[in-house]
Coordinates of all heavy atoms in Angstrom, one line a residue:
M1 N 85.1 149.8 50.1 CA 84.5 148.7 49.5 C 85.0 148.5 48.0 O 85.1 149.5 47.3 CB 83.0 148.8 49.5 CG 82.2 147.6 49.6 SD 82.3 146.4 48.3 CE 81.8 147.3 46.8
K2 N 85.4 147.3 47.6 CA 85.8 147.1 46.3 C 85.3 145.7 45.7 O 85.1 144.8 46.5 CB 87.3 147.3 46.1 CG 88.1 146.3 46.9 CD 89.6 146.7 46.7 CE 90.5 145.7 47.6 NZ 91.9 146.0 47.4
W3 N 85.2 145.7 44.4 CA 84.8 144.4 43.7 C 86.0 144.0 43.0 O 86.7 144.7 42.4 CB 83.7 144.7 42.8 CG 82.3 144.8 43.5 CD1 81.7 146.0 43.8 CD2 81.5 143.8 43.9 NE1 80.5 145.8 44.3 CE2 80.3 144.3 44.5 CE3 81.5 142.4 43.9 CZ2 79.3 143.7 45.0 CZ3 80.5 141.7 44.5 CH2 79.4 142.3 45.0
L4 N 86.3 142.7 43.0 CA 87.4 142.1 42.3 C 86.9 140.9 41.5 O 85.9 140.3 41.8 CB 88.5 141.6 43.3 CG 89.1 142.7 44.1 CD1 88.6 142.6 45.5 CD2 90.6 142.7 44.1
K5 N 87.7 140.5 40.5 CA 87.4 139.4 39.6 C 88.6 138.5 39.5 O 89.7 139.0 39.5 CB 87.1 139.9 38.2 CG 86.8 138.9 37.1 CD 86.6 139.6 35.8 CE 86.5 138.6 34.7 NZ 86.1 139.1 33.4
Q6 N 88.4 137.2 39.5 CA 89.5 136.2 39.3 C 89.8 136.0 37.8 O 88.9 135.8 37.0 CB 89.1 134.9 40.0 CG 90.2 133.9 40.0 CD 89.8 132.7 40.8 OE1 88.7 132.4 41.1 NE2 90.8 131.9 41.1
T7 N 91.0 136.2 37.5 CA 91.4 136.0 36.1 C 91.7 134.6 35.8 O 91.7 133.7 36.7 CB 92.7 136.9 35.7 OG1 93.8 136.3 36.6 CG2 92.5 138.3 36.0
E8 N 92.0 134.3 34.6 CA 92.2 132.9 34.1 C 93.4 132.3 34.8 O 93.5 131.0 35.1 CB 92.4 132.8 32.6 CG 91.2 133.1 31.8 CD 91.4 133.0 30.4 OE1 92.5 132.6 29.9 OE2 90.5 133.3 29.6
N9 N 94.4 133.1 35.2 CA 95.6 132.6 35.9 C 95.5 132.6 37.4 O 96.4 132.4 38.1 CB 96.9 133.3 35.4 CG 96.8 134.7 35.7 OD1 95.9 135.3 36.4 ND2 97.9 135.5 35.3
G10 N 94.2 132.9 37.9 CA 94.0 132.9 39.3 C 94.2 134.2 40.1 O 94.0 134.2 41.3
K11 N 94.7 135.2 39.4 CA 94.9 136.4 40.1 C 93.7 137.2 40.3 O 92.7 137.1 39.5 CB 95.9 137.3 39.3 CG 97.3 136.7 39.2 CD 98.3 137.6 38.3 CE 98.5 138.9 39.1 NZ 99.5 139.8 38.4
K12 N 93.6 138.1 41.3 CA 92.4 138.9 41.5 C 92.8 140.3 40.9 O 93.8 140.9 41.2 CB 92.1 139.1 43.0 CG 91.6 137.8 43.6 CD 91.3 138.2 45.1 CE 90.8 137.0 45.8 NZ 90.5 137.4 47.3
I13 N 91.8 140.9 40.1 CA 92.0 142.3 39.7 C 90.8 143.1 40.1 O 89.6 142.5 40.1 CB 92.2 142.3 38.1 CG1 91.0 141.6 37.4 CG2 93.5 141.6 37.7 CD1 91.0 141.9 35.9
E14 N 91.0 144.3 40.4 CA 89.9 145.2 40.8 C 89.0 145.5 39.6 O 89.5 145.8 38.5 CB 90.4 146.5 41.5 CG 89.3 147.2 42.1 CD 89.8 148.3 43.1 OE1 91.0 148.3 43.4 OE2 88.9 149.1 43.5
I15 N 87.8 145.5 39.8 CA 86.8 145.9 38.8 C 86.5 147.4 38.9 O 86.2 147.9 40.0 CB 85.5 145.0 38.9 CG1 85.8 143.6 38.7 CG2 84.4 145.5 38.0 CD1 84.6 142.7 39.1
Q16 N 86.4 148.0 37.8 CA 86.0 149.5 37.7 C 84.6 149.6 37.1 O 84.1 148.8 36.3 CB 87.0 150.2 36.8 CG 88.4 150.1 37.2 CD 88.6 150.7 38.6 OE1 88.1 151.7 39.0 NE2 89.5 150.0 39.4
D17 N 83.9 150.6 37.5 CA 82.6 150.9 37.0 C 82.8 151.4 35.5 O 83.3 152.5 35.3 CB 81.9 152.0 37.9 CG 80.4 152.1 37.6 OD1 80.0 151.7 36.5 OD2 79.7 152.7 38.5
D18 N 82.3 150.6 34.5 CA 82.5 151.0 33.2 C 81.4 150.4 32.3 O 80.3 150.1 32.8 CB 83.9 150.6 32.7 CG 84.1 149.1 32.8 OD1 83.1 148.3 33.0 OD2 85.3 148.6 32.9
D19 N 81.7 150.3 31.0 CA 80.6 149.7 30.1 C 80.3 148.3 30.4 O 79.2 147.8 30.1 CB 81.1 149.8 28.6 CG 81.2 151.3 28.2 OD1 80.6 152.1 28.7 OD2 81.9 151.5 27.2
K20 N 81.2 147.5 31.0 CA 80.9 146.1 31.3 C 80.3 145.9 32.7 O 79.5 145.0 32.9 CB 82.3 145.3 31.2 CG 82.2 143.9 31.4 CD 81.4 143.2 30.4 CE 81.3 141.7 30.6 NZ 80.3 141.0 29.7
Y21 N 80.7 146.7 33.6 CA 80.3 146.6 35.0 C 79.6 147.8 35.6 O 80.1 148.9 35.3 CB 81.5 146.2 35.9 CG 82.2 145.0 35.5 CD1 83.4 145.1 34.8 CD2 81.7 143.7 35.7 CE1 84.1 144.0 34.4 CE2 82.4 142.6 35.3 CZ 83.6 142.7 34.6 OH 84.3 141.6 34.2
D22 N 78.5 147.6 36.3 CA 77.9 148.7 37.0 C 78.0 148.5 38.5 O 77.4 147.5 39.0 CB 76.4 148.8 36.5 CG 75.7 149.9 37.1 OD1 76.3 150.9 37.4 OD2 74.4 149.8 37.2
I23 N 78.7 149.3 39.2 CA 78.9 149.2 40.6 C 78.1 150.3 41.3 O 78.2 151.5 41.0 CB 80.4 149.4 41.0 CG1 81.2 148.2 40.4 CG2 80.5 149.4 42.5 CD1 82.6 148.4 40.5
T24 N 77.2 150.0 42.2 CA 76.3 150.9 42.8 C 76.4 150.8 44.4 O 76.6 149.7 44.9 CB 74.9 150.8 42.4 OG1 74.4 149.5 42.7 CG2 74.7 151.2 41.0
K25 N 76.3 152.0 45.0 CA 76.1 152.0 46.5 C 74.7 152.4 46.7 O 74.2 153.4 46.3 CB 77.1 153.0 47.0 CG 77.0 153.3 48.5 CD 78.0 154.3 48.9 CE 78.0 154.5 50.4 NZ 79.0 155.6 50.8
Q26 N 73.9 151.5 47.4 CA 72.5 151.7 47.6 C 72.1 152.0 49.1 O 72.8 151.5 50.0 CB 71.7 150.5 47.2 CG 71.9 150.1 45.8 CD 71.2 148.8 45.3 OE1 70.7 148.1 46.2 NE2 71.2 148.5 44.1
F27 N 71.2 152.9 49.3 CA 70.7 153.3 50.6 C 69.4 152.7 50.8 O 68.6 152.5 49.8 CB 70.6 154.8 50.6 CG 71.9 155.5 50.3 CD1 72.2 155.9 49.0 CD2 72.8 155.8 51.3 CE1 73.4 156.5 48.6 CE2 74.1 156.4 50.9 CZ 74.3 156.8 49.6
S28 N 69.0 152.5 52.0 CA 67.7 151.9 52.3 C 67.3 152.3 53.7 O 68.0 152.5 54.7 CB 67.8 150.4 52.3 OG 66.5 149.8 52.7
S29 N 66.0 152.6 53.9 CA 65.4 153.0 55.2 C 65.5 151.8 56.2 O 65.4 152.0 57.4 CB 64.0 153.5 55.1 OG 63.2 152.5 54.5
Q30 N 65.7 150.6 55.7 CA 65.8 149.4 56.6 C 67.1 149.2 57.1 O 67.4 148.4 58.0 CB 65.4 148.2 55.8 CG 63.9 148.2 55.3 CD 63.6 147.0 54.4 OE1 64.4 146.3 54.0 NE2 62.3 146.9 54.1
L31 N 68.2 150.0 56.7 CA 69.5 149.9 57.2 C 69.8 151.0 58.2 O 69.1 152.0 58.3 CB 70.5 150.0 56.0 CG 70.3 148.9 54.9 CD1 71.3 149.2 53.7 CD2 70.6 147.5 55.4
Q32 N 70.8 150.8 59.0 CA 71.3 151.8 59.9 C 71.8 153.0 59.2 O 72.2 152.9 58.0 CB 72.3 151.2 60.9 CG 71.8 150.0 61.7 CD 70.7 150.4 62.7 OE1 70.7 151.5 63.3 NE2 69.7 149.5 62.8
N33 N 72.1 154.1 59.8 CA 72.7 155.3 59.2 C 73.9 155.1 58.4 O 74.2 155.7 57.5 CB 72.8 156.4 60.2 CG 71.4 157.0 60.6 OD1 70.5 156.8 59.9 ND2 71.4 157.6 61.8
D34 N 74.8 154.2 59.0 CA 76.1 154.0 58.4 C 76.3 152.7 57.6 O 77.3 152.2 57.4 CB 77.2 154.1 59.5 CG 77.1 153.1 60.6 OD1 76.0 152.4 60.6 OD2 78.0 152.9 61.4
E35 N 75.1 152.1 57.3 CA 75.1 150.9 56.5 C 74.6 151.1 55.1 O 73.7 152.0 54.8 CB 74.1 149.8 57.1 CG 74.6 149.3 58.5 CD 73.7 148.4 59.1 OE1 72.4 148.4 58.8 OE2 74.1 147.5 59.7
F36 N 75.2 150.4 54.1 CA 74.9 150.5 52.7 C 74.9 149.2 52.0 O 75.6 148.2 52.5 CB 75.9 151.4 52.0 CG 76.1 152.8 52.6 CD1 77.2 153.0 53.4 CD2 75.2 153.8 52.4 CE1 77.4 154.2 54.1 CE2 75.4 155.0 53.1 CZ 76.5 155.2 53.9
W37 N 74.2 149.1 50.9 CA 74.2 147.9 50.1 C 75.1 148.2 48.9 O 75.0 149.3 48.3 CB 72.8 147.5 49.5 CG 72.0 146.8 50.5 CD1 71.0 147.4 51.2 CD2 72.0 145.4 50.9 NE1 70.3 146.4 52.1 CE2 70.9 145.2 51.8 CE3 72.7 144.3 50.5 CZ2 70.7 144.0 52.4 CZ3 72.5 143.1 51.0 CH2 71.5 142.9 52.0
Y38 N 76.0 147.3 48.6 CA 76.8 147.5 47.3 C 76.5 146.4 46.4 O 76.4 145.2 46.8 CB 78.3 147.4 47.7 CG 78.8 148.6 48.6 CD1 78.7 148.5 49.9 CD2 79.2 149.8 48.0 CE1 79.1 149.6 50.7 CE2 79.7 150.8 48.7 CZ 79.6 150.8 50.1 OH 80.0 151.8 50.9
T39 N 76.3 146.8 45.1 CA 76.0 145.8 44.1 C 76.9 145.9 42.9 O 77.4 146.9 42.6 CB 74.4 146.0 43.6 OG1 74.3 147.3 43.0 CG2 73.5 145.8 44.8
L40 N 77.1 144.7 42.3 CA 77.8 144.6 41.1 C 76.9 144.0 40.0 O 76.3 143.0 40.2 CB 79.0 143.7 41.2 CG 79.8 143.4 39.9 CD1 80.5 144.6 39.4 CD2 80.8 142.3 40.2
L41 N 76.8 144.7 38.9 CA 76.0 144.2 37.7 C 76.9 143.9 36.6 O 77.7 144.8 36.2 CB 74.9 145.3 37.3 CG 74.2 144.9 36.0 CD1 73.3 143.7 36.2 CD2 73.3 146.1 35.6
V42 N 77.0 142.7 36.1 CA 77.8 142.3 35.0 C 76.8 142.4 33.7 O 75.9 141.7 33.7 CB 78.4 140.9 35.2 CG1 79.3 140.5 34.0 CG2 79.1 140.8 36.4
K43 N 77.2 143.2 32.8 CA 76.3 143.5 31.7 C 76.7 142.6 30.5 O 77.9 142.2 30.3 CB 76.5 144.9 31.2 CG 76.1 146.0 32.3 CD 76.4 147.4 31.8 CE 76.4 148.4 32.9 NZ 76.8 149.7 32.4
N44 N 75.7 142.1 29.8 CA 75.9 141.3 28.6 C 76.9 140.1 28.9 O 77.9 139.9 28.3 CB 76.6 142.1 27.4 CG 75.6 143.3 27.1 OD1 74.4 143.1 26.9 ND2 76.2 144.5 26.9
V45 N 76.4 139.3 29.9 CA 77.2 138.1 30.3 C 77.5 137.2 29.2 O 76.6 136.8 28.4 CB 76.4 137.5 31.5 CG1 77.2 136.2 31.9 CG2 76.3 138.3 32.7
Q46 N 78.8 136.8 29.1 CA 79.2 135.8 28.1 C 80.0 134.8 28.9 O 80.4 135.0 30.0 CB 80.1 136.5 27.1 CG 79.4 137.6 26.3 CD 80.3 138.3 25.4 OE1 81.5 138.0 25.2 NE2 79.8 139.4 24.7
A47 N 80.4 133.7 28.3 CA 81.1 132.6 28.9 C 82.4 133.1 29.5 O 82.8 132.6 30.5 CB 81.3 131.4 27.9
K48 N 83.0 134.0 28.9 CA 84.3 134.5 29.4 C 84.2 135.2 30.7 O 85.1 135.5 31.4 CB 85.0 135.4 28.4 CG 84.3 136.7 28.2 CD 85.1 137.6 27.1 CE 84.4 138.8 26.8 NZ 85.1 139.7 25.9
D49 N 82.9 135.6 31.1 CA 82.6 136.3 32.4 C 82.4 135.3 33.5 O 82.3 135.7 34.7 CB 81.4 137.1 32.3 CG 81.5 138.3 31.2 OD1 82.6 138.9 31.2 OD2 80.6 138.4 30.4
Y50 N 82.3 134.0 33.1 CA 82.1 132.9 34.2 C 83.4 132.8 35.0 O 84.4 132.2 34.5 CB 81.7 131.6 33.6 CG 80.5 131.6 32.8 CD1 80.2 130.7 31.8 CD2 79.5 132.6 33.0 CE1 79.0 130.6 31.1 CE2 78.3 132.6 32.3 CZ 78.0 131.6 31.3 OH 76.9 131.7 30.6
T51 N 83.4 133.3 36.2 CA 84.5 133.2 37.1 C 84.1 133.5 38.5 O 82.9 133.7 38.8 CB 85.7 134.1 36.7 OG1 86.9 133.8 37.4 CG2 85.3 135.6 36.7
N52 N 85.0 133.7 39.5 CA 84.7 134.1 40.8 C 84.8 135.6 40.9 O 85.8 136.2 40.4 CB 85.6 133.4 41.8 CG 85.4 131.9 42.0 OD1 84.2 131.5 41.9 ND2 86.4 131.2 42.1
Y53 N 83.9 136.2 41.6 CA 83.9 137.6 41.9 C 84.0 137.8 43.4 O 83.4 137.0 44.1 CB 82.6 138.3 41.3 CG 82.6 138.3 39.8 CD1 82.2 137.2 39.1 CD2 83.1 139.4 39.1 CE1 82.2 137.2 37.7 CE2 83.0 139.5 37.7 CZ 82.6 138.3 37.0 OH 82.6 138.4 35.7
F54 N 84.7 138.9 43.8 CA 84.9 139.0 45.3 C 84.5 140.5 45.7 O 84.7 141.4 44.9 CB 86.4 138.9 45.6 CG 87.0 137.6 45.1 CD1 87.5 137.6 43.8 CD2 86.9 136.5 45.9 CE1 88.1 136.3 43.4 CE2 87.4 135.3 45.4 CZ 88.0 135.2 44.2
C55 N 83.8 140.5 46.8 CA 83.5 141.8 47.4 C 84.3 141.9 48.7 O 84.2 141.0 49.6 CB 82.0 141.8 47.7 SG 81.4 143.3 48.6
E56 N 85.1 143.0 48.8 CA 85.9 143.2 50.0 C 85.6 144.6 50.5 O 85.6 145.6 49.8 CB 87.4 143.0 49.7 CG 87.8 141.7 49.1 CD 89.3 141.6 48.8 OE1 90.0 142.5 48.7 OE2 89.6 140.5 48.4
G57 N 85.4 144.6 51.9 CA 85.1 146.0 52.5 C 85.8 146.1 53.9 O 86.0 145.1 54.6
T58 N 86.0 147.3 54.3 CA 86.6 147.6 55.5 C 86.0 148.9 56.1 O 85.7 149.8 55.3 CB 88.1 147.9 55.4 OG1 88.7 146.7 54.8 CG2 88.8 148.1 56.7
N59 N 85.7 148.9 57.4 CA 85.2 150.1 58.0 C 85.7 150.1 59.5 O 86.5 149.3 59.8 CB 83.6 150.1 58.0 CG 82.9 149.0 58.7 OD1 83.5 148.3 59.6 ND2 81.7 148.7 58.3
K60 N 85.1 151.0 60.3 CA 85.6 151.2 61.7 C 85.4 149.9 62.6 O 86.0 149.8 63.6 CB 85.0 152.4 62.3 CG 83.5 152.4 62.5 CD 83.0 153.6 63.1 CE 81.5 153.6 63.2 NZ 80.9 154.9 63.6
Y61 N 84.5 149.0 62.1 CA 84.1 147.8 62.8 C 85.0 146.6 62.5 O 85.0 145.6 63.1 CB 82.7 147.5 62.7 CG 81.8 148.6 63.1 CD1 81.1 149.3 62.2 CD2 81.6 148.9 64.4 CE1 80.2 150.3 62.6 CE2 80.8 150.0 64.8 CZ 80.1 150.6 63.9 OH 79.3 151.7 64.3
G62 N 85.8 146.7 61.4 CA 86.6 145.6 60.9 C 86.5 145.5 59.4 O 86.2 146.4 58.7
S63 N 86.7 144.3 58.9 CA 86.7 144.0 57.5 C 86.0 142.7 57.2 O 85.8 141.9 58.1 CB 88.1 144.0 56.9 OG 88.9 142.9 57.5
G64 N 85.6 142.5 56.0 CA 84.9 141.3 55.6 C 85.0 141.1 54.1 O 85.3 142.1 53.3
D65 N 84.8 139.9 53.7 CA 84.7 139.6 52.3 C 83.8 138.4 51.9 O 83.4 137.7 52.9 CB 86.2 139.4 51.7 CG 86.8 138.2 52.5 OD1 86.3 137.0 52.3 OD2 87.7 138.4 53.2
T66 N 83.5 138.4 50.7 CA 82.7 137.2 50.3 C 83.0 136.9 48.8 O 83.6 137.8 48.1 CB 81.1 137.5 50.4 OG1 80.4 136.3 50.2 CG2 80.7 138.5 49.4
T67 N 82.7 135.7 48.4 CA 83.0 135.2 47.1 C 81.7 134.9 46.4 O 80.9 134.2 47.0 CB 83.9 134.0 47.1 OG1 85.2 134.4 47.8 CG2 84.3 133.6 45.6
I68 N 81.6 135.3 45.1 CA 80.4 134.9 44.3 C 80.8 134.3 43.1 O 81.7 134.8 42.4 CB 79.6 136.2 44.0 CG1 79.1 136.9 45.3 CG2 78.3 135.9 43.2 CD1 79.3 138.4 45.3
A69 N 80.3 133.1 42.8 CA 80.7 132.4 41.5 C 79.6 132.6 40.5 O 78.4 132.4 40.7 CB 80.8 130.9 41.8
L70 N 80.0 133.2 39.4 CA 79.1 133.3 38.2 C 79.4 132.2 37.2 O 80.5 132.1 36.8 CB 79.4 134.7 37.5 CG 78.6 135.1 36.3 CD1 77.1 135.0 36.6 CD2 79.0 136.4 35.7
F71 N 78.3 131.5 36.9 CA 78.5 130.3 36.0 C 77.3 130.1 35.2 O 76.2 130.7 35.5 CB 78.9 129.1 36.8 CG 77.8 128.7 37.8 CD1 76.8 127.7 37.4 CD2 77.8 129.1 39.1 CE1 75.8 127.4 38.3 CE2 76.8 128.8 40.0 CZ 75.9 127.9 39.6
G72 N 77.3 129.3 34.1 CA 76.2 129.0 33.4 C 76.5 127.9 32.5 O 77.5 127.3 32.4
K73 N 75.4 127.6 31.7 CA 75.5 126.4 30.8 C 75.5 126.8 29.3 O 75.4 125.9 28.5 CB 74.4 125.4 31.0 CG 74.5 124.8 32.4 CD 73.4 123.8 32.6 CE 73.6 123.1 34.0 NZ 72.6 122.1 34.2
I74 N 75.6 128.1 29.0 CA 75.5 128.5 27.6 C 76.6 127.8 26.7 O 76.3 127.3 25.6 CB 75.6 130.0 27.5 CG1 74.3 130.6 28.1 CG2 75.7 130.5 26.0 CD1 74.3 132.1 28.2
L75 N 77.8 127.8 27.2 CA 78.9 127.3 26.5 C 78.7 125.8 26.2 O 78.9 125.4 25.0 CB 80.3 127.5 27.2 CG 81.5 126.9 26.6 CD1 81.7 127.7 25.3 CD2 82.7 127.1 27.5
N76 N 78.2 125.1 27.1 CA 77.9 123.6 26.9 C 76.8 123.4 25.8 O 77.0 122.6 25.0 CB 77.5 122.9 28.3 CG 78.7 122.9 29.3 OD1 79.8 122.9 28.8 ND2 78.3 122.7 30.5
F77 N 75.9 124.3 25.9 CA 74.8 124.2 24.9 C 75.3 124.4 23.5 O 75.0 123.6 22.6 CB 73.6 125.2 25.2 CG 72.6 125.3 24.1 CD1 71.7 124.3 23.9 CD2 72.7 126.4 23.2 CE1 70.8 124.4 22.8 CE2 71.8 126.5 22.2 CZ 70.9 125.5 22.0
W78 N 76.1 125.4 23.4 CA 76.6 125.8 22.0 C 77.5 124.7 21.5 O 77.6 124.4 20.4 CB 77.2 127.2 22.0 CG 76.2 128.2 22.0 CD1 75.8 129.0 23.0 CD2 75.2 128.6 21.0 NE1 74.8 129.9 22.7 CE2 74.4 129.6 21.4 CE3 75.0 128.0 19.7 CZ2 73.4 130.1 20.6 CZ3 74.0 128.6 18.9 CH2 73.2 129.6 19.4
L79 N 78.4 124.2 22.4 CA 79.4 123.2 22.0 C 78.6 121.9 21.6 O 78.9 121.3 20.6 CB 80.3 122.9 23.2 CG 81.3 121.8 23.0 CD1 82.2 122.2 21.8 CD2 82.1 121.5 24.2
G80 N 77.6 121.6 22.4 CA 76.8 120.4 22.0 C 76.1 120.6 20.7 O 76.1 119.7 19.8
C81 N 75.5 121.8 20.4 CA 74.9 122.1 19.2 C 75.9 122.0 18.0 O 75.6 121.5 17.0 CB 74.3 123.5 19.2 SG 73.5 123.9 17.6
F82 N 77.1 122.6 18.3 CA 78.1 122.6 17.2 C 78.6 121.2 16.9 O 78.6 120.8 15.7 CB 79.3 123.4 17.8 CG 80.5 123.4 16.8 CD1 80.4 124.2 15.7 CD2 81.7 122.7 17.1 CE1 81.5 124.2 14.8 CE2 82.7 122.7 16.3 CZ 82.6 123.4 15.1
L83 N 78.7 120.3 17.8 CA 79.1 118.9 17.6 C 78.0 118.2 16.8 O 78.2 117.4 16.0 CB 79.5 118.2 18.9 CG 80.8 118.7 19.5 CD1 81.0 118.0 20.9 CD2 82.0 118.5 18.7
F84 N 76.8 118.4 17.3 CA 75.6 117.8 16.6 C 75.5 118.2 15.2 O 75.3 117.4 14.3 CB 74.4 118.1 17.4 CG 73.1 117.6 16.7 CD1 72.8 116.3 16.8 CD2 72.3 118.5 16.0 CE1 71.6 115.8 16.0 CE2 71.2 118.0 15.3 CZ 70.9 116.7 15.4
C85 N 75.7 119.5 14.9 CA 75.6 120.0 13.6 C 76.6 119.4 12.7 O 76.4 119.1 11.5 CB 75.7 121.6 13.5 SG 74.2 122.3 14.3
I86 N 77.9 119.3 13.2 CA 79.0 118.8 12.4 C 78.7 117.3 12.1 O 78.8 116.8 11.0 CB 80.3 118.9 13.1 CG1 80.8 120.3 13.1 CG2 81.4 118.0 12.5 CD1 82.0 120.6 13.8
K87 N 78.3 116.5 13.1 CA 78.0 115.1 12.9 C 76.9 115.0 11.9 O 77.0 114.1 11.0 CB 77.6 114.5 14.3 CG 77.4 113.0 14.2 CD 77.1 112.4 15.5 CE 76.9 111.0 15.5 NZ 76.5 110.4 16.8
S88 N 75.8 115.8 12.0 CA 74.7 115.7 11.1 C 75.1 116.0 9.6 O 74.7 115.4 8.7 CB 73.6 116.6 11.5 OG 73.1 116.2 12.8
K89 N 76.0 117.0 9.5 CA 76.3 117.5 8.2 C 77.2 116.4 7.5 O 77.1 116.3 6.3 CB 77.1 118.8 8.3 CG 77.5 119.4 7.0 CD 78.1 120.7 7.2 CE 78.5 121.3 5.8 NZ 79.2 122.6 6.0
Y90 N 78.1 115.8 8.2 CA 79.0 114.8 7.6 C 78.8 113.4 7.8 O 79.5 112.5 7.6 CB 80.5 115.1 8.1 CG 80.9 116.5 7.6 CD1 80.9 117.5 8.6 CD2 81.3 116.7 6.3 CE1 81.3 118.8 8.2 CE2 81.8 118.0 5.9 CZ 81.7 119.0 6.9 OH 82.2 120.3 6.5
S91 N 77.5 113.1 8.3 CA 77.2 111.7 8.4 C 77.1 111.0 7.1 O 76.6 111.5 6.1 CB 75.9 111.5 9.2 OG 74.8 112.1 8.5
I92 N 77.4 109.7 7.0 CA 77.4 108.9 5.8 C 76.2 108.0 5.9 O 76.0 107.3 6.8 CB 78.7 108.1 5.6 CG1 79.9 109.0 5.6 CG2 78.6 107.2 4.4 CD1 81.2 108.3 5.6
K93 N 75.4 108.1 4.8 CA 74.2 107.3 4.8 C 74.3 106.2 3.8 O 74.8 106.5 2.7 CB 73.0 108.1 4.5 CG 72.6 109.2 5.5 CD 71.4 109.9 5.1 CE 71.1 111.0 6.2 NZ 69.9 111.8 5.9
S94 N 73.9 105.0 4.0 CA 74.0 103.9 3.0 C 72.8 104.0 2.1 O 71.7 104.4 2.5 CB 74.0 102.5 3.7 OG 72.9 102.4 4.6
I95 N 73.1 103.6 0.9 CA 72.0 103.7 -0.2 C 71.4 102.3 -0.5 O 72.0 101.4 -0.5 CB 72.6 104.3 -1.5 CG1 73.1 105.7 -1.1 CG2 71.5 104.4 -2.5 CD1 73.8 106.4 -2.3

């Protein structure tokens, strides 16, 4: 099982468990003996983390994959605030 991330140029790169990402294999009594949950935690999410993430796995039964899109509106909020602040700061008022 591996986690991948789509880069800005569209390539997939494998994600490692490090300061930015926490990859865990979880066990549960609700699963069969050879079944596991795999999770990816993206820490301190920023706009540059907004992209597609992929989970790919293979076992004796075959292979499978899924795509997860991480997105948000923080960038739009800050851009809107930035434009509003500039407009307010430099607006001309008639006397």
Side-chain angles (χ1 to χ4, degrees):
M1 209 299 303
K2 62 183 173 180
W3 286 98
L4 301 106
K5 174 182 176 177
Q6 186 174 14
T7 62
E8 291 179 8
N9 62 4
K11 293 178 69 175
K12 290 182 184 179
I13 58 170
E14 189 167 352
I15 297 172
Q16 302 300 320
D17 193 340
D18 57 20
D19 292 341
K20 180 67 180 172
Y21 303 102
D22 185 23
I23 298 172
T24 57
K25 178 179 180 179
Q26 300 177 351
F27 305 89
S28 172
S29 60
Q30 297 175 348
L31 300 173
Q32 301 296 323
N33 288 337
D34 59 349
E35 292 180 328
F36 308 100
W37 284 100
Y38 292 88
T39 60
L40 171 68
L41 173 65
V42 181
K43 302 174 192 173
N44 302 313
V45 174
Q46 299 173 7
K48 66 181 180 179
D49 299 315
Y50 298 158
T51 190
N52 291 322
Y53 291 83
F54 307 91
C55 175
E56 298 178 353
T58 302
N59 61 21
K60 63 184 178 183
Y61 302 109
S63 61
D65 59 68
T66 192
T67 304
I68 301 138
L70 177 61
F71 60 93
K73 295 185 179 183
I74 293 174
L75 181 61
N76 291 337
F77 168 76
W78 285 109
L79 180 59
C81 178
F82 178 70
L83 292 175
F84 173 76
C85 292
I86 288 176
K87 185 177 178 183
S88 298
K89 184 176 180 182
Y90 294 104
S91 62
I92 300 171
K93 296 182 181 180
S94 56
I95 300 176

